[in-house]
Coordinates of all heavy atoms in Angstrom, one line a residue:
Chain A
H110 N -5.2 213.7 103.1 CA -4.7 213.3 104.4 C -3.9 212.0 104.3 O -2.9 211.8 104.9 CB -5.8 213.1 105.4 CG -6.4 214.4 105.8 ND1 -7.3 215.1 105.1 CD2 -6.2 215.1 106.9 CE1 -7.6 216.2 105.7 NE2 -7.0 216.3 106.9
R379 N -29.7 218.6 107.2 CA -28.6 219.5 107.6 C -27.8 218.9 108.7 O -26.6 219.1 108.8 CB -29.3 220.9 107.9 CG -28.3 221.9 108.4 CD -27.3 222.3 107.3 NE -26.0 222.2 107.7 CZ -25.2 223.1 108.2 NH1 -25.7 224.4 108.3 NH2 -24.0 222.9 108.6
N441 N -8.0 197.2 138.3 CA -7.9 197.9 139.6 C -6.8 199.0 139.6 O -6.1 199.2 140.5 CB -7.5 196.9 140.7 CG -8.8 196.2 141.1 OD1 -9.8 196.8 141.3 ND2 -8.7 194.9 141.3
L442 N -6.7 199.6 138.4 CA -5.8 200.7 138.3 C -6.5 202.0 138.2 O -7.1 202.3 137.2 CB -4.9 200.5 137.1 CG -3.9 199.4 137.2 CD1 -3.3 199.0 135.9 CD2 -2.8 199.7 138.2
S446 N -3.3 206.2 140.5 CA -2.1 205.4 140.2 C -1.6 205.7 138.8 O -0.4 205.8 138.5 CB -2.4 203.9 140.3 OG -3.1 203.6 141.5
N563 N -14.0 206.8 107.0 CA -15.2 207.0 107.8 C -16.4 206.2 107.2 O -16.3 205.5 106.2 CB -15.6 208.4 107.9 CG -16.1 209.0 106.5 OD1 -16.8 208.3 105.9 ND2 -15.6 210.1 106.2
T579 N -26.1 213.4 105.7 CA -26.1 214.9 105.8 C -25.8 215.5 104.4 O -25.4 214.8 103.5 CB -25.0 215.4 106.7 OG1 -23.7 215.1 106.1 CG2 -25.1 214.8 108.1
H581 N -23.7 217.6 103.7 CA -22.2 217.6 103.5 C -21.7 216.3 102.9 O -20.9 216.3 102.0 CB -21.5 217.9 104.7 CG -21.5 219.4 105.1 ND1 -22.5 219.9 105.9 CD2 -20.7 220.4 104.9 CE1 -22.3 221.2 106.1 NE2 -21.2 221.5 105.4
R605 N -26.8 228.8 113.3 CA -25.5 229.4 113.7 C -25.0 230.4 112.6 O -24.4 231.4 112.9 CB -24.5 228.3 113.8 CG -23.4 228.6 114.8 CD -23.0 227.3 115.4 NE -21.6 227.4 115.7 CZ -21.0 226.6 116.6 NH1 -21.7 225.7 117.2 NH2 -19.7 226.7 116.8
R644 N -34.2 220.4 120.6 CA -33.7 220.3 122.0 C -34.9 220.0 122.9 O -35.0 220.7 124.0 CB -33.0 221.6 122.3 CG -31.6 221.7 121.9 CD -31.1 223.0 122.2 NE -30.5 223.6 120.9 CZ -30.3 224.9 120.8 NH1 -30.5 225.7 121.8 NH2 -29.8 225.3 119.7
Chain B
dC7 P -6.4 204.1 143.7 OP1 -5.4 203.5 142.9 OP2 -6.7 205.5 143.5 O5' -7.8 203.3 143.4 C5' -7.8 201.9 143.6 C4' -9.2 201.4 143.2 O4' -10.1 201.7 144.3 C3' -9.7 202.1 142.0 O3' -10.3 201.1 141.2 C2' -10.8 203.0 142.5 C1' -11.3 202.2 143.7 N1 -12.0 203.1 144.7 C2 -13.2 202.6 145.2 O2 -13.6 201.5 144.8 N3 -13.9 203.3 146.2 C4 -13.3 204.5 146.6 N4 -14.0 205.1 147.5 C5 -12.1 205.0 146.0 C6 -11.5 204.3 145.1
dA8 P -10.3 201.1 139.7 OP1 -9.2 200.3 139.1 OP2 -10.3 202.5 139.3 O5' -11.7 200.4 139.4 C5' -12.1 199.3 140.1 C4' -13.6 199.2 140.1 O4' -14.1 200.0 141.2 C3' -14.2 199.7 138.9 O3' -15.3 198.8 138.5 C2' -14.7 201.1 139.2 C1' -15.1 200.9 140.7 N9 -15.1 202.1 141.4 C8 -14.1 203.1 141.3 N7 -14.3 204.1 142.1 C5 -15.5 203.8 142.8 C6 -16.2 204.4 143.8 N6 -15.9 205.6 144.3 N1 -17.3 203.8 144.3 C2 -17.6 202.6 143.8 N3 -17.0 201.9 142.8 C4 -15.9 202.5 142.4
dG9 P -15.9 198.7 137.1 OP1 -15.1 197.7 136.4 OP2 -15.9 200.1 136.6 O5' -17.3 198.2 137.4 C5' -17.8 197.9 138.7 C4' -19.0 198.7 139.0 O4' -18.6 199.9 139.7 C3' -19.9 199.2 137.8 O3' -21.2 198.7 137.9 C2' -19.8 200.7 137.8 C1' -19.5 201.0 139.3 N9 -18.8 202.3 139.5 C8 -17.7 202.7 138.8 N7 -17.3 203.9 139.3 C5 -18.2 204.2 140.3 C6 -18.3 205.3 141.1 O6 -17.6 206.3 141.2 N1 -19.4 205.3 142.0 C2 -20.3 204.2 142.1 N2 -21.2 204.3 143.0 N3 -20.2 203.1 141.3 C4 -19.2 203.2 140.4
dC11 P -27.9 201.5 138.2 OP1 -28.8 200.3 138.5 OP2 -27.6 201.8 136.8 O5' -28.6 202.8 138.8 C5' -28.3 203.2 140.2 C4' -28.2 204.7 140.2 O4' -26.9 205.1 139.8 C3' -29.3 205.4 139.3 O3' -30.1 206.2 140.1 C2' -28.4 206.3 138.4 C1' -27.1 206.4 139.1 N1 -25.9 206.5 138.2 C2 -25.1 207.6 138.3 O2 -25.3 208.5 139.2 N3 -24.0 207.7 137.5 C4 -23.8 206.8 136.5 N4 -22.7 207.0 135.7 C5 -24.6 205.7 136.4 C6 -25.7 205.6 137.2
dC12 P -31.4 206.8 139.5 OP1 -32.5 206.6 140.5 OP2 -31.5 206.4 138.1 O5' -31.0 208.4 139.5 C5' -30.3 208.9 140.6 C4' -29.7 210.3 140.2 O4' -28.5 210.1 139.4 C3' -30.7 211.1 139.4 O3' -30.8 212.4 140.0 C2' -30.1 211.1 138.0 C1' -28.6 211.0 138.3 N1 -27.8 210.4 137.2 C2 -26.6 211.0 136.8 O2 -26.2 212.0 137.4 N3 -25.9 210.4 135.8 C4 -26.4 209.2 135.2 N4 -25.6 208.7 134.3 C5 -27.6 208.6 135.7 C6 -28.3 209.2 136.6
dT17 P -22.5 221.9 122.0 OP1 -21.5 221.3 123.1 OP2 -22.3 223.2 121.4 O5' -22.6 220.9 120.9 C5' -23.6 220.0 120.7 C4' -24.4 220.2 119.4 O4' -25.5 219.3 119.7 C3' -25.1 221.5 119.2 O3' -24.5 222.5 118.3 C2' -26.4 221.1 118.5 C1' -26.7 219.7 119.2 N1 -27.7 219.8 120.2 C2 -28.5 218.7 120.4 O2 -28.3 217.7 119.8 N3 -29.4 218.8 121.4 C4 -29.7 219.9 122.2 O4 -30.6 219.9 123.0 C5 -28.8 221.1 121.9 C7 -29.0 222.4 122.7 C6 -27.9 221.0 121.0
dT18 P -23.5 222.1 117.1 OP1 -23.5 220.7 117.3 OP2 -22.2 222.9 117.1 O5' -24.1 222.5 115.7 C5' -24.9 222.1 115.1 C4' -24.9 221.1 114.0 O4' -24.8 221.8 112.8 C3' -23.8 220.0 113.9 O3' -24.3 218.9 113.3 C2' -22.7 220.7 113.1 C1' -23.4 221.7 112.3 N1 -22.9 223.1 112.3 C2 -23.0 223.9 111.2 O2 -23.6 223.5 110.2 N3 -22.4 225.1 111.4 C4 -21.7 225.6 112.4 O4 -21.2 226.7 112.4 C5 -21.6 224.7 113.6 C7 -20.9 225.1 114.8 C6 -22.2 223.5 113.5
dT19 P -23.6 217.6 113.0 OP1 -24.6 216.6 112.7 OP2 -22.5 217.4 113.9 O5' -22.9 218.1 111.6 C5' -23.2 217.5 110.4 C4' -22.5 218.2 109.3 O4' -22.4 219.6 109.6 C3' -21.1 217.8 109.1 O3' -21.1 216.8 108.1 C2' -20.3 219.0 108.6 C1' -21.3 220.1 108.9 N1 -20.6 221.2 109.8 C2 -20.7 222.5 109.4 O2 -21.3 222.8 108.4 N3 -20.1 223.4 110.2 C4 -19.4 223.1 111.4 O4 -18.9 224.0 112.0 C5 -19.4 221.7 111.8 C7 -18.7 221.3 113.0 C6 -20.0 220.8 111.0
dT20 P -20.6 215.3 108.5 OP1 -21.2 214.4 107.6 OP2 -20.7 215.1 110.0 O5' -19.1 215.5 108.2 C5' -18.6 215.8 106.9 C4' -17.1 215.7 106.9 O4' -16.6 216.7 107.8 C3' -16.6 214.3 107.3 O3' -15.5 214.0 106.5 C2' -16.2 214.5 108.7 C1' -15.7 216.0 108.7 N1 -15.9 216.7 110.0 C2 -14.9 217.5 110.5 O2 -13.8 217.6 109.8 N3 -15.1 218.0 111.7 C4 -16.2 217.9 112.5 O4 -16.3 218.5 113.5 C5 -17.3 217.1 111.9 C7 -18.5 216.8 112.7 C6 -17.1 216.5 110.7
dT21 P -15.1 212.5 106.3 OP1 -15.8 212.1 105.1 OP2 -15.3 211.7 107.5 O5' -13.6 212.6 106.0 C5' -13.1 213.3 104.8 C4' -11.7 213.7 105.0 O4' -11.6 214.7 106.1 C3' -10.8 212.6 105.5 O3' -9.6 212.5 104.6 C2' -10.4 212.9 106.9 C1' -10.6 214.4 107.0 N1 -11.0 214.9 108.3 C2 -10.5 216.1 108.7 O2 -9.7 216.7 108.0 N3 -10.9 216.5 109.9 C4 -11.8 215.8 110.8 O4 -12.1 216.3 111.9 C5 -12.3 214.6 110.3 C7 -13.2 213.8 111.1 C6 -11.9 214.2 109.1

Side-chain angles (χ1 to χ4, degrees):
Chain A
H110 288 84
R379 179 64 234 264
N441 281 316
L442 290 166
S446 311
N563 71 45
T579 63
H581 283 86
R605 212 149 144 160
R644 275 174 238 164

